Amino acid sequence: MRTGLAAFCFAPLLTLCVRAHFVLTDEYIGQDFLQNWSWFSGDDPTHGRVNYLSQADALSNNLTYATDHSFVMRADSHTVVPSTAKGRNSVRISSLKAYDEAVVVLDLQHMPEGCGTWPAFWSLSQQGPWPQGGEIDIIEGVNQNRLNLASLHTTPNCAMFPPRAMTGTTTSTNCDASVNFNQGCGVSFAKPASYGPDFNNAGGGYYVLVRSKTDGVRVYFWSRYDPAVPPEVRNPSPYPNVLNSEGMYPTLLWGEPEAYFPLNDQCDYASHFNAHSFVFDLTFCGDWAGSDYPNTGCPGTCDDYVMNNPQAFANAYWEVNSLRVYTPMQ
Ligand SMILES: *[C@@H]1O[C@H](CO)[C@@H](O)[C@H](O)[C@H]1NC(C)=O
Ligand SMILES: *[C@@H]1O[C@H](CO)[C@@H](O)[C@H](O)[C@H]1NC(C)=O
């Protein structure tokens, strides 16, 4: 873990910028994940055909692999799994530390892809119980999806209607997890290469979550070689000039986010969101990938495919270059 002094000045409008600086608080790279994240080995709450391994088992099976500069979490791609078993071996981890207002920059090299997969990078209230304190899904999709879906899942009285200042498309408006079978309020991304093989073939890219009590929740995405990747996002070294010397709000220069969940009179921040831990997981079939599977052009049934075709999961892995968290300067 390294810390630095890059700062984000922060406000929805330049004129409102009060020089609330966001400083680089935590940076997770490679082996930092082994120290600062916990491995979940219980049953998948979303009912997938998955067997989540402890950290020790994931390391000894090489389903978790860390160097000084890279961190990999993968599905088993060698074993035919008996139909009586819980599911294919995989990994689910969460950060020990939780964050409220923050700018979170994920530099991601590769995400899990393929039929039967349901990977997600998301955050949820450390305090809970779910959905109290909220859930923010930053990266999520299933099977052969090509566009990312970002969504919120909350307690009642939170809704997000179009039009909103974002490039993505509203797919559902009620964030209340107790209605619509917990669909939440979702936004499908517009940029190509935001998910799956297209994301991976482009060398991955950058996902940025911005959480602010005065602005709401934003999710930005840039493919790795997109010339529009902001320098302060691309480069881990501090950018004090860009971020605070002129009192500039950096996201003003970032264009519209892919997904924007603004504060509004149908959703206040304080009663729906508190400090969140971050989670990476990879499950198979289950509530979403399983029910969607018959419509995807994938072969056979989801369960059969996942249990009997280990070689199909060679690209079902996360490879994280870094995760940086900026929080308000005290
Ligand atoms: C990460 O783990 C190390 C070793 O236990 C600890 O000193 C450090 O405070 C942790 N950092 C975070 C952000 O949890
Ligand atoms: C473990 O996984 C890493 C990352 O994919 C790979 O580079 C390495 O060769 C693997 N090690 C073994 C022993 O298979």
Side-chain angles (χ1 to χ4, degrees), residues 62-65 72 74 78 317:
N62 207 31
L63 303 191
T64 288
Y65 174 83
V72 173
R74 60 166 74 255
H78 299 292
Y317 68 95

Side-chain angles (χ1 to χ4, degrees), residues 2-322:
R2 277 164 278 170
T3 56
L5 275 179
F8 285 89
C9 179
F10 212 91
L13 295 168
L14 184 55
T15 51
L16 294 179
C17 184
V18 291
R19 299 180 183 232
H21 295 151
F22 279 59
V23 297
L24 180 59
T25 308
D26 293 312
E27 182 172 51
Y28 300 99
I29 297 179
Q31 282 146 5
D32 296 329
F33 287 92
L34 301 181
Q35 289 191 352
N36 294 112
W37 293 57
S38 71
W39 269 240
F40 170 87
S41 55
D43 289 344
D44 177 12
T46 60
H47 313 107
R49 283 316 284 271
V50 70
N51 183 41
Y52 284 128
L53 299 188
S54 67
Q55 185 187 95
D57 288 345
L59 284 169
S60 66
N61 286 282
N62 207 31
L63 303 191
T64 288
Y65 174 83
T67 66
D68 286 347
H69 51 82
S70 166
F71 179 67
V72 173
M73 292 161 282
R74 60 166 74 255
D76 175 299
S77 58
H78 299 292
T79 314
V80 172
V81 186
S83 61
T84 50
K86 198 152 110 180
R88 181 161 295 285
N89 286 349
S90 183
V91 175
R92 170 172 166 145
I93 67 171
S94 18
S95 64
L96 297 179
K97 194 165 165 186
Y99 305 88
D100 195 330
E101 291 189 295
V103 179
V104 181
V105 180
L106 174 66
D107 179 342
L108 185 64
Q109 192 68 31
H110 191 281
M111 73 168 70
E113 60 171 75
C115 290
T117 61
W118 177 6
F121 171 60
W122 51 293
S123 71
L124 87 168
S125 169
Q126 198 174 50
Q127 193 182 324
W130 186 90
Q132 285 176 44
E135 169 185 333
I136 302 172
D137 299 333
I138 303 153
I139 303 178
E140 193 176 20
V142 295
N143 299 311
Q144 306 194 84
N145 284 177
R146 308 191 64 170
L147 296 173
N148 185 55
L149 182 80
S151 43
L152 305 183
H153 301 261
T154 67
T155 50
N157 302 312
C158 182
M160 295 287 161
F161 291 101
R164 279 131 70 188
M166 61 184 188
T167 49
T169 307
T170 303
T171 56
S172 54
T173 55
N174 198 338
C175 311
D176 179 354
S178 67
V179 303
N180 301 329
F181 303 97
N182 183 29
Q183 187 180 20
C185 50
V187 174
S188 177
F189 283 23
K191 281 184 185 169
S194 64
Y195 190 84
D198 293 344
F199 175 89
N200 294 330
N201 292 339
Y206 305 88
Y207 271 89
V208 181
L209 169 72
V210 180
R211 277 185 64 172
S212 154
K213 289 175 180 170
T214 54
D215 179 57
V217 175
R218 295 163 176 256
V219 182
Y220 293 83
F221 165 72
W222 294 273
S223 189
R224 183 158 308 278
Y225 298 106
D226 182 344
V229 180
E232 65 275 26
V233 168
R234 190 188 291 281
N235 196 325
S237 63
Y239 265 85
N241 293 338
V242 175
L243 297 172
N244 66 20
S245 69
E246 306 302 327
M248 274 287 265
Y249 178 48
T251 65
L252 274 181
L253 307 175
W254 290 359
E256 290 187 343
E258 288 290 289
Y260 184 30
F261 305 96
L263 299 179
N264 61 44
D265 54 10
Q266 319 209 39
C267 189
D268 70 300
Y269 188 94
S271 66
H272 292 98
F273 298 99
N274 55 26
H276 284 194
S277 296
F278 287 93
V279 181
F280 286 94
D281 67 40
L282 168 57
T283 187
F284 311 102
C285 308
D287 294 341
W288 184 15
S291 59
D292 194 53
Y293 193 87
N295 314 315
T296 56
C298 289
T301 67
C302 193
D303 280 15
D304 278 355
Y305 185 77
V306 166
M307 306 300 254
N308 294 319
N309 293 284
Q311 71 290 346
F313 295 87
N315 283 320
Y317 68 95
W318 294 101
E319 183 177 353
V320 178
N321 294 331
S322 65

